[in-house]
Amino acid sequence: MDIFAEIEISEAPSERKTVSPNAQIVGGATDPVRQKFYDMRGMASDNPYTWNDARLFYKQAKFMENFTDNYESFAEFSMHCPCYQRMGYERLRTYFTWRAAVRRGEFLDTSLSYIFLYIYELLACIGEESPVKSLVGLWALRGAYSKKFLVLDEYLPEWLKDFHVYYELPHSFTEFVTEHNMSEFYSDLFLFDGDAEVSVWNKISAYDVSKSKFYTESAENTKLLDDCFKAVGRGLAALCAEKGICVKDLFVHTGNQQIPWFPFRRALFHRWLRQKDRQIELPGGEIFICENNEWLTFHTAPYAHKKELAAFIIRKTEAQVRAVADFKTKITADPSTLLKASAALGGMGVTVREIENVIEKSIAEFFTEKNRIIVNIDRKNLERIRVEAEDITEKLIVEDETPLPRVACADNSGLKEQPVPELGDVWAQFFSQLSDAELAALKMILSENDDINKIKTFADSKGLMLEILADNINEKAIEIIGDNILELTDTLTVYDEYKNFLAHHFCKCIG
């Protein structure tokens, strides 16, 4: 059987003819650029039955790796999965001229197919000394052309991820994504790391939180719900750890079956690099294994209840946050929407009620920590207060010819008559700064003999947490007199050095 080679004389398809490989190409030697293209395209005749397109492209790309051109014209180019072999003379010259400019840092207007052709080269590290340099080139290419050609972001994020698996790089994929603010393209990977914002989860949710009045009303509400959702994510991670699973297992089934993995799917890529045996794990638990230069990964499939479970977690979180923030409207999260999920979750030892409990507990702990008041004590001021307290104590117990004033409390506090010094301006200022609720609470603390249950009931009736009420009183004491006056452990009491003094002046000034 005769073997023929196709020689393209011009761009017009009607002007092609086939000749024997041994036929003389008249005038070919007079144009070195055209001869270079002939030599490159002639590589397809080496063994046309075993060279696939990707392998042929890689061989031709290495042959043309350092070729540059300065073609003054421009030929438009549109081809699905472009390659040199199917490009005519003018398009090849246009491409290599544009490529030379890009390598110099000049990103000229061009056709999308030329960009994809150059991407294929960079994926194979053509023209760059290392994978790191190729990665820099890919990122620069995206920065220059992705706004004009939106389709690039339908392909490049996947290929950038594959790049971090196939090549050994000095940084992790997580570091790359964080540095380049690319997390929106990898929501499924970073969804279950315990620190994802609600907007990321919203992409897999049947409930669209972006339409929530609470979430969109203000930047403060958006941040509040995001922060609370991160707390919930950490709570879910802790629950799953107790069950011997991870959060991803609630949404995605990962089987034990290993399936072949091919890097840079949808690109023209030949696996040119001999790989050592290794295992790569990406965020979200995706695992890739290389053995004998062949790549494998584990089969994964999302559960049918994935969207409903994500929606329930988001909605339940928002419902709790709205309630704590006393938002004007309330919402609820109905557990009955998870009937399909119950069986699958039960198989992992997790119940819907446990998930609800985690959400409620995580948000309660978040607000407790958020409202916690950190008190920084000036030790010099504290020492001064201690000295003053000791002086007061001495005056209380040392006999003097001039007796100290004695005032009896005419209430039911049970407080005994005690000698105390006169009220100073600082303490008068302290009493004046207390709210009605704080004054009433301080009176109860002084009179209820450490009955913390009564004091807690009082705090609840005022819509206050006991800890917050005590912290508010201590905070004002720190600001005005320089020391805490209340101690909260299993009981809530006034420190001994201030008890008699406060009791007397409380009766005298407040009544």
Side-chain angles (χ1 to χ4, degrees), residues 375 377 382 386 474-475 477-478 481-486 495 498:
V375 178
I377 299 176
L382 179 61
R386 298 294 186 198
N474 273 335
E475 181 182 17
I478 283 289
I481 66 174
D483 195 8
N484 289 319
I485 63 171
L486 299 181
Y495 285 111
Y498 300 124

Side-chain angles (χ1 to χ4, degrees), residues 32 40 160 185 208 254 265 276 326 350 404 409 419 427 438:
M40 179 264 290
L160 289 170
F185 296 101
D208 188 357
T254 302
R265 187 175 59 89
K276 69 179 184 180
D326 198 24
V350 179
L404 292 169
C409 296
W427 288 96
E438 290 164 353

Side-chain angles (χ1 to χ4, degrees), residues 86-364:
R86 295 192 292 271
M87 293 168 64
Y89 175 81
E90 292 182 1
R91 287 172 179 166
L92 285 170
R93 293 209 63 180
T94 299
Y95 171 70
F96 288 112
T97 299
W98 170 79
R99 186 183 76 172
V102 169
R103 288 179 174 179
R104 294 192 304 268
E106 301 173 23
F107 296 92
L108 307 176
D109 287 342
T110 191
S111 298
L112 180 62
S113 292
Y114 290 133
I115 297 173
F116 271 100
L117 190 63
Y118 187 49
I119 289 173
Y120 296 163
E121 290 184 6
L122 291 174
L123 293 179
C125 296
I126 300 297
E128 298 292 353
E129 61 187 24
S130 69
V132 171
K133 294 289 187 180
S134 285
L135 184 61
V136 171
L138 286 167
W139 186 251
L141 206 63
R142 178 185 179 272
Y145 294 108
S146 61
K147 289 184 178 179
K148 180 178 180 180
F149 300 108
L150 301 180
V151 70
L152 288 174
D153 277 343
E154 295 180 17
Y155 291 83
L156 271 176
E158 177 187 351
W159 292 341
L160 289 170
K161 185 191 81 170
D162 290 0
F163 201 93
H164 284 80
V165 176
Y166 189 75
Y167 295 106
E168 293 186 274
L169 299 170
H171 60 268
S172 69
F173 180 58
T174 301
E175 291 170 334
F176 175 82
V177 172
T178 302
E179 179 184 351
H180 295 91
N181 196 26
M182 291 281 288
S183 58
E184 64 177 295
F185 296 101
Y186 306 102
S187 56
D188 282 355
L189 289 182
F190 296 94
L191 193 64
F192 311 112
D193 65 358
D195 203 32
E197 296 178 347
V198 68
S199 57
V200 179
W201 280 68
N202 199 51
K203 295 180 180 180
I204 66 162
S205 170
Y207 168 63
D208 188 357
V209 75
S210 67
K211 297 179 181 178
S212 160
K213 292 182 179 179
F214 175 79
Y215 186 65
T216 58
E217 184 180 64
S218 66
E220 290 78 9
N221 283 0
T222 300
K223 185 178 187 308
L224 180 61
L225 188 56
D226 279 336
D227 290 343
C228 285
F229 199 82
K230 291 178 181 180
V232 169
R234 292 188 289 270
L236 287 173
L239 172 66
C240 290
E242 292 176 5
K243 309 291 184 179
I245 58 175
C246 62
V247 177
K248 180 181 178 182
D249 295 328
L250 302 179
F251 298 85
V252 179
H253 172 71
T254 302
N256 296 321
Q257 179 185 4
Q258 294 181 0
I259 58 176
W261 176 71
F262 300 98
F264 310 113
R265 187 175 59 89
R266 300 188 297 172
L268 196 61
F269 180 76
H270 169 62
R271 289 185 291 173
W272 63 278
L273 182 62
R274 179 72 188 181
Q275 301 274 356
K276 69 179 184 180
D277 291 357
R278 67 183 189 278
Q279 178 172 305
I280 306 295
E281 183 170 355
L282 293 186
E286 216 176 351
I287 296 175
F288 301 86
I289 301 169
C290 182
E291 294 180 353
N292 298 320
N293 206 38
E294 295 293 332
W295 285 92
L296 300 169
T297 189
F298 289 93
H299 174 73
T300 60
Y303 285 115
H305 63 253
K306 178 180 177 181
K307 289 187 175 182
E308 285 71 23
L309 180 56
F312 177 81
I313 293 173
I314 293 174
R315 193 174 177 90
K316 177 71 176 179
T317 300
E318 184 183 348
Q320 294 294 116
V321 175
R322 283 191 184 209
V324 176
D326 198 24
F327 192 63
K328 53 183 176 287
T329 58
K330 313 297 182 187
I331 62 172
T332 59
D334 185 1
S336 67
T337 60
L338 297 181
L339 292 178
K340 292 189 299 183
S342 296
L345 294 174
M348 292 177 264
V350 179
T351 66
V352 174
R353 185 58 221 164
E354 284 179 314
I355 293 176
E356 285 190 283
N357 288 341
V358 163
I359 296 172
E360 293 167 1
K361 181 181 178 183
S362 298
I363 292 176

